[in-house]
Amino acid sequence: MNQSALVVFSGGQDSTTCLFWAMKKFDRVEAITFNYNQRHKAEIDCAIKITKGFDIPHMVVDMSLLNQLAPNALTRNDIEIKAGEGGQLPNTFVDGRNLLFLSFAAVVAKQKGMKHIVTGVCETDFSGYPDCRDVFIKSLNVTLNLAMDYPFVIDTPLMWIDKADTWKLADQLGRLEYVQQNTLTCYNGIIGTGCGECPACKLRSAGLKKYLNKKEATQ
Ligand code: ZN
């Protein structure tokens, strides 16, 4: 089997860094994006633009049923985004989102004869989403292999690194500026540096600042 990978891709900083990581590591890379009526259609457009730019075959899958099952702040304009307080999950959490996304990705990957599934989930990223944890990914990996009798490998290059080191990885892959200018993480739908105010922008810019300061100090 040639080394091929399907990247779960949102067009944000994390999954774009994962896409570049996969492009370096595997002979054949494709991407899959889940459309679940994210607040901003800009996210999907961004994902399409990035994959087109690098000639990556890209599939956009309709997952609007997710919003039907669990309306939340990421998909509904009438719900304000709030950070989690006192150990509570932020209200951007969608129960089972990664479970569903990775399971659908696995179905597609097997059809395409691809073994690796790459996802930008991260345990260090404080949000505490249970289906971003390493133990869940390992458990799901076993489940998927059993469910489809197929040797999937779920790769999580960002699992143990923080936002600063995610920028470092992008830099090592020679794509720091690209990620900075062309990805969308902002909850207000502003590409690149974003609105600067929302929790996603704050996390992203604090990580970049930390990485650039560290880099400067070692030069
Ligand atoms: Zn923002």
Side-chain angles (χ1 to χ4, degrees):
M1 191 185 288
N2 73 345
Q3 289 296 304
S4 55
L6 182 65
V7 179
V8 179
F9 187 60
S10 71
Q13 177 196 352
D14 293 347
S15 65
T16 304
T17 304
C18 286
L19 184 72
F20 290 132
W21 177 86
M23 283 161 65
K24 200 147 239 186
K25 204 169 151 69
F26 300 102
D27 309 324
R28 177 177 154 225
V29 174
E30 297 196 16
I32 186 167
T33 299
F34 295 102
N35 184 356
Y36 55 104
N37 299 328
Q38 288 89 329
R39 242 170 213 252
H40 299 282
K41 210 189 136 271
E43 260 187 58
I44 306 285
D45 294 341
C46 187
I48 291 170
K49 201 175 151 208
I50 292 170
T51 49
K52 266 207 178 125
F54 291 93
D55 268 331
I56 303 287
H58 181 218
M59 185 180 195
V60 179
V61 177
D62 178 18
M63 288 285 285
S64 48
L65 72 100
L66 198 63
N67 193 37
Q68 198 180 349
L69 296 174
N72 83 101
L74 277 187
T75 56
R76 289 261 299 265
N77 286 319
D78 54 335
I79 303 177
E80 194 195 341
I81 290 172
K82 287 191 195 125
E85 282 166 18
Q88 296 251 309
L89 289 167
N91 71 347
T92 50
F93 178 67
V94 183
D95 267 320
R97 183 171 56 175
N98 280 320
L99 167 68
L100 295 170
F101 286 5
L102 289 166
S103 301
F104 284 100
V107 172
V108 171
K110 185 179 175 184
Q111 279 177 48
K112 290 173 175 286
M114 306 180 100
K115 180 175 160 187
H116 290 261
I117 299 164
V118 182
T119 168
V121 295
C122 172
E123 184 156 333
T124 23
D125 153 19
F126 344 107
S127 44
Y129 294 2
D131 59 355
C132 289
R133 292 182 193 140
D134 190 53
V135 66
F136 164 72
I137 297 293
K138 289 197 163 77
S139 152
L140 181 66
N141 202 149
V142 173
T143 298
L144 291 173
N145 295 7
L146 291 170
M148 296 180 224
D149 194 19
Y150 192 77
F152 293 110
V153 177
I154 304 180
D155 293 292
T156 55
L158 311 182
M159 182 59 79
W160 303 111
I161 65 179
D162 64 7
K163 271 279 181 278
D165 282 337
T166 303
W167 284 111
K168 183 180 176 182
L169 179 59
D171 200 10
Q172 286 167 341
L173 294 164
R175 301 290 187 187
L176 187 130
E177 272 179 23
Y178 183 91
V179 172
Q180 208 177 349
Q181 289 163 11
N182 297 283
T183 64
L184 175 62
T185 312
C186 175
Y187 289 149
N188 290 312
I190 301 166
I191 239 169
T193 46
C195 73
E197 298 295 322
C198 73
C201 278
K202 283 182 180 158
L203 192 65
R204 174 171 162 142
S205 65
L208 181 61
K209 205 170 151 197
K210 188 175 157 198
Y211 169 58
L212 293 176
N213 284 342
K214 243 199 230 167
K215 191 181 173 184
E216 207 173 308
T218 54
Q219 269 173 356

